[in-house]
């Protein structure tokens, strides 16, 4: 399924502190380079992970919505209206229609009415290692940061911090002194900070052209519309579901502007599964990378180094994650 946007529970006017303290014992640290997920420390469990019995990845079906997920996708799509499509396009996005012969068949592109769609964007400096962000889906301040990640086409190692999550909420308090989200760590510069607006300013100066997109520069109005954008999902992706923490982060090819990607991210957060987020909004050169890797481009696409599973299709990805990682 291809994608379009994201949503949630909505605390609107204040940065989001944690709801309760959790004892800081056996707090896992999962690190990853920009290419290969690795882990340095994990929980004391020695659980091994395998794909579900008789598992076969589904065939990708472009723009198809499984009937039982129709209302999920509709609810997740409401954010397109409230956020005016922020997170759908990479910075400097432009598009033109060219003849079919102008773009070779081994290059990703859309085809419309007998023409091919040529998409370009303007990227800033690329970080050598993924930015690390501690956050959760049902937070408007976190969503602001996820949108700039899409605009700047950054790779991010997300550490989900759902309410009552036992692993990464306590770690944020340990590192920064308080449970407040989002919290960003840039391993490329050693910079760490709270406050969504400060994180956005830092990222555009370091990895963009220095300018903050208009829809992210409106102060309280931005925060309010981020909150309204989450109404259609009513807090999904905010609360912890008991799970088994894998030794390696999963890898998700997705983008903030897609409702299909949204429902997968919700489950990753609820299960507190760290994941490397390969942002691939419209105009991203990573669309071509995934096209070459998988023989097809569609978002979301997940790679799980713990089981070897690689798959498209949001509804089936959600089921796979629950079967594999939710505690029975």
């Amino acid at each position: 399924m291809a994608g379009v946007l994201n949503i949630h529970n909505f605390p609107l006017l204040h940065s989001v502190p944690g709801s309760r303290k959790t004892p800081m014992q056996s707090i896992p640290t999962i690190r990853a380079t920009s290419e290969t997920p690795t882990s340095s420390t994990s929980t004391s469990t020695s659980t091994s992970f395998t794909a579900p019995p008789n598992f076969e990845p589904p065939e990708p079906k472009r723009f198809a919505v499984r009937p039982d997920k129709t209302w999920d996708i509709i609810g997740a799509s409401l954010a397109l209206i409230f956020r005016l499509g922020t997170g759908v396009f990479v910075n400097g996005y432009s598009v033109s229609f060219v003849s079919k012969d102008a773009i070779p068949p081994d290059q990703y592109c859309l085809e419309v009415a007998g023409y091919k769609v040529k998409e370009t964007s303007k990227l800033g400096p690329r970080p050598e290692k993924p930015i690390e962000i501690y956050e959760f889906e049902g937070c408007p301040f976190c969503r602001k940061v996820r949108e700039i990640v899409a605009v700047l086409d950054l790779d991010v190692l997300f550490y989900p911090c759902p309410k009552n999550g036992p692993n990464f909420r306590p770690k944020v308090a340990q590192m920064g002194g308080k449970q407040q989200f989002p919290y960003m760590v840039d391993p490329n510069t050693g910079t760490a900070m709270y406050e969504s607006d400060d994180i956005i300013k830092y990222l555009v100066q370091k990895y963009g052209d220095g300018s903050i997109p208009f829809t992210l520069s409106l102060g309280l109005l931005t925060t309010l519309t981020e909150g309204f954008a989450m109404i259609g999902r009513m807090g999904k992706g905010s609360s912890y579901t008991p799970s088994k923490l894998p030794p390696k982060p999963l890898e998700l090819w997705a983008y903030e502007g897609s409702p299909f990607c949204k429902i997968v991210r919700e489950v990753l957060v609820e299960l507190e599964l760290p994941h490397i987020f390969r942002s691939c909004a419209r105009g991203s050169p990573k669309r071509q990378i995934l096209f070459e890797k998988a023989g097809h481009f569609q978002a979301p696409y997940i790679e799980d180094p713990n089981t070897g599973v690689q798959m498209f299709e949001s509804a089936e990805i959600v089921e796979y994650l629950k079967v594999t990682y939710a505690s029975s």
Side-chain angles (χ1 to χ4, degrees), residues 203-217:
L203 291 176
V204 298
Q205 290 178 344
K206 189 70 179 175
Y207 302 113
D209 59 9
S211 62
I212 297 173
F214 176 73
T215 53
L216 284 168
S217 65

Side-chain angles (χ1 to χ4, degrees), residues 53-226:
N54 303 315
F55 174 81
E56 290 186 11
E59 288 295 321
K61 298 178 283 292
R62 190 180 297 275
F63 301 117
V65 179
R66 207 171 75 178
D68 62 315
K69 295 294 183 182
T70 299
W71 287 110
D72 290 323
I73 298 302
I74 290 173
S77 299
L78 290 179
L80 282 172
I81 299 171
F82 289 110
R83 294 299 300 143
L84 302 178
T86 308
V88 175
F89 305 104
V90 175
N91 188 48
Y93 179 80
S94 64
V95 61
S96 60
F97 293 90
V98 298
S99 68
K100 283 189 174 182
D101 297 334
I103 298 178
D106 61 351
Q107 186 171 332
Y108 165 77
C109 69
L110 291 175
E111 291 191 24
V112 178
Y115 291 89
K116 288 189 174 181
V117 181
K118 183 177 181 180
E119 300 172 284
T120 59
S121 58
K122 297 178 181 178
L123 301 182
R126 301 291 82 191
E128 181 181 348
K129 300 175 183 178
I131 310 301
E132 299 173 11
I133 299 178
Y134 296 75
E135 56 90 61
F136 64 100
E137 276 283 339
C139 165
F141 302 96
C142 298
R143 183 185 167 86
K144 287 164 65 175
V145 172
R146 295 196 304 270
E147 286 180 351
I148 200 63
V149 164
V151 171
L152 298 178
D153 197 43
L154 297 175
D155 286 346
V156 169
L157 175 52
F158 279 118
Y159 289 100
C161 299
K163 295 172 184 177
N164 302 325
N167 293 304
F168 304 116
R169 277 189 170 242
K171 185 179 175 186
V172 169
Q174 187 180 64
M175 292 188 298
K178 54 185 175 180
Q179 286 190 11
Q180 180 177 302
F181 306 96
Y183 181 71
M184 183 209 73
V185 177
D186 185 349
N188 303 283
T189 64
T191 301
M193 64 177 67
Y194 293 102
E195 298 298 336
S196 57
D197 289 339
D198 292 341
I199 293 171
I200 289 170
K201 184 177 180 181
Y202 170 83
L203 291 176
V204 298
Q205 290 178 344
K206 189 70 179 175
Y207 302 113
D209 59 9
S211 62
I212 297 173
F214 176 73
T215 53
L216 284 168
S217 65
L218 302 176
L220 179 59
L221 181 59
T222 294
T223 304
L224 288 171
T225 56
E226 296 286 10

Side-chain angles (χ1 to χ4, degrees), residues 240-260:
Y240 176 63
T241 297
S243 64
K244 298 165 287 187
L245 186 68
K248 298 179 181 179
L250 284 68
E251 190 164 345
L252 177 67
W253 299 71
Y255 60 104
E256 182 63 18
S258 163
F260 299 94

